[in-house]
Amino acid sequence: MPELQRHPNVDLAVRYHRAVSRGATGEELARFLHPEVVHRELPNALLPVGATSDLAALLRAAERGAELLAEQDFEVLNAVAAGDRVALEARWTGTLAVPMGDLPAGRVLRAHIAAFLEIRDGRITAQRNYDCYEPLRQ
């Protein structure tokens, strides 16, 4: 990972993405998220109409992700903070543990991600993701 801006909110964003990479669920994941968090994923290849999630939905999605993916990794390429906001660029890879639609178990998915986070009281209160998936079928 390149040298990132030293800022407590950048550190929080990077630690959060590392926890997600490890498959964190439940309290381990919730400690990064404000109780009023809103996560918005803009339309992409996996979610054609996008999705908006609160804390409970995010924690459920983490549990489903742990079942769907054998492993995943967020490589944080760049991050910058301005006050309580963080802009983060990452490259994500995930290996399917089970088939997903017509994609077989073992298939590696890749996405290029821009994420914008808002921080309050040392926790993430809002996140918007722009996930650009590489072709799912080759």
Side-chain angles (χ1 to χ4, degrees):
M1 175 169 38
E3 185 64 31
L4 300 176
Q5 176 186 358
R6 290 287 190 204
H7 188 284
N9 290 338
V10 167
D11 291 342
L12 172 69
V14 170
R15 285 186 290 112
Y16 165 66
H17 280 81
R18 286 182 180 152
V20 173
S21 290
R22 295 194 296 280
T25 59
E27 183 53 40
E28 182 184 2
L29 185 60
R31 70 184 175 138
F32 294 98
L33 304 168
H34 194 279
E36 298 172 3
V37 67
V38 175
H39 181 279
R40 184 160 183 237
E41 193 166 348
L42 282 291
N44 60 61
L46 295 182
L47 295 169
V49 297
T52 300
S53 303
D54 61 7
L55 178 59
L58 284 171
L59 296 177
R60 285 192 304 274
E63 294 286 341
R64 283 192 309 276
E67 296 169 1
L68 180 65
L69 297 171
E71 62 184 4
Q72 66 175 326
D73 182 58
F74 282 93
E75 179 187 359
V76 177
L77 303 172
N78 200 356
V80 63
D84 62 356
R85 295 171 187 258
V86 174
L88 183 135
E89 176 189 13
R91 191 168 30 231
W92 175 84
T93 56
T95 304
L96 293 176
V98 296
M100 183 178 81
D102 60 351
L103 301 176
R107 176 66 188 269
V108 177
L109 306 178
R110 292 179 175 78
H112 306 272
I113 297 171
F116 298 87
L117 296 88
E118 296 176 26
I119 314 295
R120 185 172 72 224
D121 302 327
R123 295 173 118 179
I124 298 164
T125 59
Q127 181 174 348
R128 282 184 323 283
N129 268 49
Y130 297 83
D131 300 345
C132 300
Y133 286 88
E134 292 184 3
L136 299 176
R137 291 159 187 77
Q138 297 177 0

